[in-house]
Amino acid sequence: MKKISLKTKVNGNELNKLLYEFAGENHYDEIINEDCDCYDSQGKPILFLRKNHIDKNILYNAYKNLEKAATPTSNRGASSGGDRKFTITKTGEKTKTLQVYDKKTGEVVKDKSGIIGYFDRSGHYDFCRTTSFNIYHKEKFEESMPLINTVDKGFKEIVPERYKKQKSMVMATDPNYRIGETAFSTITVNKDYRTAFHTDQGDYPEGFGNLVAYCKDVEPVYLVLPKFKVAVNLETNDLLLVDVHQIHGNTEIIKKSSSGVRLSFVMYYRNNMYKCLSPKKELKRIQMRQRYVGQRFIAGEM
């Protein structure tokens, strides 16, 4: 197995200036396109690539079942490469939700992305929950478990020390929020979505991001880590394990035909899932909170 020691080439303010900009050829001077293990100069694991690790039939089956999970959204944050801000209505009022706007055109950015599996308390959803895809398309999710299990097995074999830490977090989590017997709670599905430079938020920092992509009739799409000026060629059937807390982003997705598509799967553990109560207790918690708010309102405190 080839092992690479990645040297830091961009750091500090210069690296942070790249946040939410799109990756280009000037951001890398090396392309990784073979099985390898990569560490930084301190020996910290950064990324592990395994070419043709996923059975093509397993991946294609997951693609067909999970493609619809990636739906148009304007709330993927600045990783969409735009400005995230509140919308001002025609009456001059500010909306309660943020949307991403294109920096050049000023139009709302609509990327195709979705979350499947389970999610912790966040934003307007102050309760732990099963995602809507799992609720309404349970059979499609179950049909995709062979891919999820294959990725989990690869994670365990390739980076066992990180896997052990992440699996411990899963085992400390209520069984209602675990994806099978894997080390994952959540999966992000992106369709033809080019992410700008960003770091993933909300996932377990001592674990690893697990990436797989189904590609058809598209030019090579690289995952770029500008700190090390390195790019990874993630192709169909490849498995990439990467520290997603490093600044990273994708190069442009160029389709060769009208039927071209790139559907990527990012599997991980949400960092606060272990705090989740059982669904029954989560419901009771919300009900008690609503009663408290109502009582304050009646008392004139709100």
Side-chain angles (χ1 to χ4, degrees):
M1 180 63 59
K2 184 175 183 179
K3 293 188 177 181
I4 300 175
S5 178
L6 300 173
K7 296 180 180 180
T8 298
K9 297 181 179 180
V10 182
N11 212 339
N13 291 333
E14 291 303 311
L15 183 61
N16 290 330
K17 286 179 182 178
L18 296 178
L19 282 170
Y20 317 129
E21 299 296 329
F22 286 114
E25 293 183 357
N26 58 313
H27 295 120
Y28 60 90
D29 50 28
E30 179 182 5
I31 299 174
I32 295 176
N33 195 30
E34 61 182 309
D35 289 5
C36 70
D37 299 345
C38 299
Y39 302 81
D40 68 9
S41 57
Q42 304 301 314
K44 179 182 177 182
I46 301 299
L47 68 88
F48 301 80
L49 179 65
R50 297 294 185 269
K51 305 295 288 186
N52 293 308
H53 185 87
I54 310 295
D55 179 273
K56 64 179 182 179
N57 294 319
I58 288 178
L59 179 58
Y60 181 74
N61 184 59
Y63 158 69
K64 295 300 291 183
N65 279 286
L66 300 180
E67 181 184 15
K68 300 299 183 182
T71 57
T73 175
S74 60
N75 196 28
R76 270 306 308 269
S79 61
S80 295
D83 293 320
R84 195 164 183 250
K85 55 187 179 181
F86 292 102
T87 300
I88 305 299
T89 66
K90 294 180 179 180
T91 60
E93 296 180 288
K94 182 188 293 186
T95 59
K96 295 182 179 180
T97 56
L98 291 163
Q99 294 193 99
V100 178
Y101 292 82
D102 188 284
K103 293 180 180 179
K104 295 181 179 179
T105 66
E107 297 179 350
V108 174
V109 176
K110 290 284 188 179
D111 293 306
K112 288 186 177 181
S113 180
I115 305 293
I116 60 177
Y118 308 95
F119 216 80
D120 54 325
R121 303 173 195 135
S122 61
H124 295 288
Y125 299 95
D126 189 28
F127 55 92
C128 298
R129 59 201 182 276
T130 300
T131 60
S132 60
F133 186 87
N134 282 56
I135 293 173
Y136 297 110
H137 304 285
K138 182 179 179 181
E139 71 291 342
K140 290 183 178 294
F141 186 83
E142 291 177 346
E143 284 289 327
S144 303
M145 281 303 299
L147 172 64
I148 302 169
N149 287 328
T150 298
V151 173
D152 179 76
K153 184 173 183 289
F155 182 16
K156 183 177 182 179
E157 293 174 349
I158 299 166
V159 201
E161 65 282 0
R162 289 297 186 99
Y163 180 88
K164 183 178 180 180
K165 291 181 179 180
Q166 187 163 314
K167 188 62 180 289
S168 294
M169 295 298 293
V170 169
M171 296 308 294
T173 301
D174 186 284
N176 288 285
Y177 309 111
R178 305 175 190 171
I179 295 180
E181 300 298 320
T182 73
F184 311 124
S185 66
T186 316
I187 302 172
T188 298
V189 183
N190 296 322
K191 183 177 182 181
D192 301 334
Y193 177 25
R194 181 190 184 187
T195 60
F197 284 130
H198 68 287
T199 58
D200 287 11
Q201 303 293 318
D203 61 323
Y204 179 53
E206 294 300 315
F208 247 45
N210 295 248
L211 281 72
V212 178
Y214 174 81
C215 307
K216 176 187 176 183
D217 290 340
V218 295
E219 298 288 348
V221 178
Y222 301 145
L223 179 85
V224 180
L225 282 73
K227 178 178 180 179
F228 309 105
K229 298 206 74 171
V230 67
V232 183
N233 185 16
L234 180 64
E235 299 178 293
T236 297
N237 306 325
D238 294 349
L239 172 62
L240 174 61
L241 310 178
V242 61
D243 179 1
V244 290
H245 294 91
Q246 299 287 336
I247 293 176
H248 62 283
N250 293 329
T251 55
E252 185 178 2
I253 299 173
I254 302 174
K255 297 183 180 183
K256 298 179 181 179
S257 70
S258 59
S259 62
V261 65
R262 183 180 190 269
L263 194 75
S264 65
F265 309 92
V266 187
M267 307 181 192
Y268 52 99
Y269 174 81
R270 291 284 302 176
N271 195 35
N272 289 319
M273 294 298 297
Y274 73 94
K275 298 179 182 179
C276 295
L277 306 174
S278 67
K280 186 176 181 179
K281 290 182 178 179
E282 283 287 329
L283 176 59
K284 183 176 181 179
R285 175 181 171 274
I286 287 296
Q287 291 172 334
M288 293 299 292
R289 184 178 178 85
Q290 289 175 336
R291 285 184 61 189
Y292 172 71
V293 172
Q295 289 168 354
R296 287 187 62 194
F297 182 83
I298 293 172
E301 298 175 6
M302 295 183 66

